[in-house]
Amino acid sequence: GTILDIVKGTPEDTKLALQQLRKNGHKTFICTGRSNAFVPEYLMKEIGFDGLIANLGAYIEYNGTRVFEREMPTDLAWKTVEIIKANGFIPVLEGNDYMYYNLDEYTSDIDWFADLIGDKLLPIRGNEHNLHFNKISAKRTPGCNPEKLCQELSLWYDYIIHSGSFVGRTIEFVMKGCSKGLAISVMSNVLGYEKKNVIAFGDSNNDLPMFQAA
């Protein structure tokens, strides 16, 4: 959403600016709440980035190599789905290779972009015990219980409650300790950059830890 409009793409002047940053010797990273499976390939290949921080910091890639990945254990993954459904939410499970949700549950009536995932989508139904994901977007439905959901999952997950027209139906859950801010701090230390030399751009409340790290 910050450099990419999901329908219109990325403006040409933005592409040129990012490419010029790298020519000037800066390292550029995408830092997103989206999963790797939902990041368009052209962002990494055509525009060119040195790295990718995805799933709210649960995944880090540098120079095309995965350097960190924190995935939900299989038994916790399915238990999480059951808790989400029991509290009246629709689970959208976000992994690095695939997104998981049921097409008859998560529809364009819930989010207008729900049908734009393409070949990176697998159904939850039939993969109940073979789910590989790093983050969850729980989508509200009428009568859902957000307080109870957050309480029941707070043992294993940190969460971000969204508001507003674009993602207002969403509560994001990520394994405890993961955040955009922590991932940026880790990569800054690895690359030898002081905080004063790290600059971040964002437009969501899940970016607040990122701003604190920059």
Side-chain angles (χ1 to χ4, degrees):
T2 308
I3 62 166
L4 169 70
D5 182 284
I6 200 168
V7 173
K8 299 178 182 178
T10 303
E12 288 301 316
D13 57 351
T14 300
K15 295 178 185 178
L16 293 173
L18 289 165
Q19 290 163 359
Q20 189 63 49
L21 275 173
R22 297 183 77 197
K23 289 178 181 177
N24 291 350
H26 301 286
K27 300 286 187 182
T28 58
F29 282 74
I30 296 175
C31 188
T32 180
R34 302 282 184 186
S35 75
N36 188 25
F38 198 38
V39 175
E41 288 188 10
Y42 87 84
L43 282 179
M44 301 300 293
K45 292 181 178 179
E46 294 182 23
I47 298 177
F49 286 87
D50 296 286
L52 169 67
I53 295 169
N55 279 341
L56 295 179
Y59 175 85
I60 303 175
E61 180 180 299
Y62 180 58
N63 284 340
T65 300
R66 297 184 187 192
V67 296
F68 176 79
E69 183 175 3
R70 193 169 179 197
E71 190 176 280
M72 280 64 172
T74 302
D75 55 343
L76 176 57
W78 179 239
K79 183 175 183 179
T80 298
V81 171
E82 293 181 311
I83 292 173
I84 292 171
K85 286 177 169 286
N87 284 284
F89 283 74
I90 295 170
V92 177
L93 314 176
E94 302 179 36
N96 291 308
D97 299 309
Y98 295 99
M99 302 270 286
Y100 301 84
Y101 58 82
N102 295 322
L103 286 169
D104 59 332
E105 295 176 342
Y106 184 47
T107 66
S108 55
D109 292 332
I110 302 295
D111 280 328
W112 63 269
F113 53 84
D115 57 355
L116 298 178
I117 304 300
D119 60 358
K120 298 288 187 175
L121 170 64
L122 289 176
I124 296 175
R125 199 174 293 117
N127 288 294
E128 291 86 350
H129 304 292
N130 190 32
L131 299 169
H132 301 280
F133 61 92
N134 312 78
K135 199 205 78 175
I136 305 146
S137 290
K139 304 293 181 177
R140 297 173 187 258
T141 65
C144 65
N145 192 333
E147 294 81 10
K148 189 167 181 285
L149 174 64
C150 292
Q151 180 183 20
E152 290 187 17
L153 291 184
S154 63
L155 180 63
W156 307 288
Y157 301 92
D158 292 325
Y159 57 87
I160 300 169
I161 300 174
H162 287 275
S163 60
S165 58
F166 187 62
V167 288
R169 294 185 177 185
T170 303
I171 302 178
E172 289 184 294
F173 292 91
V174 66
M175 292 195 79
K176 276 192 171 297
C178 292
S179 73
K180 291 183 178 183
L182 178 60
I184 286 176
S185 295
V186 168
M187 285 308 301
S188 297
N189 289 334
V190 169
L191 297 173
Y193 289 111
E194 296 182 49
K195 183 177 181 179
K196 66 181 181 180
N197 293 322
V198 179
I199 299 173
F201 301 86
D203 56 13
S204 171
N205 55 347
N206 70 21
D207 291 318
L208 295 176
M210 178 175 74
F211 296 148
Q212 293 168 352

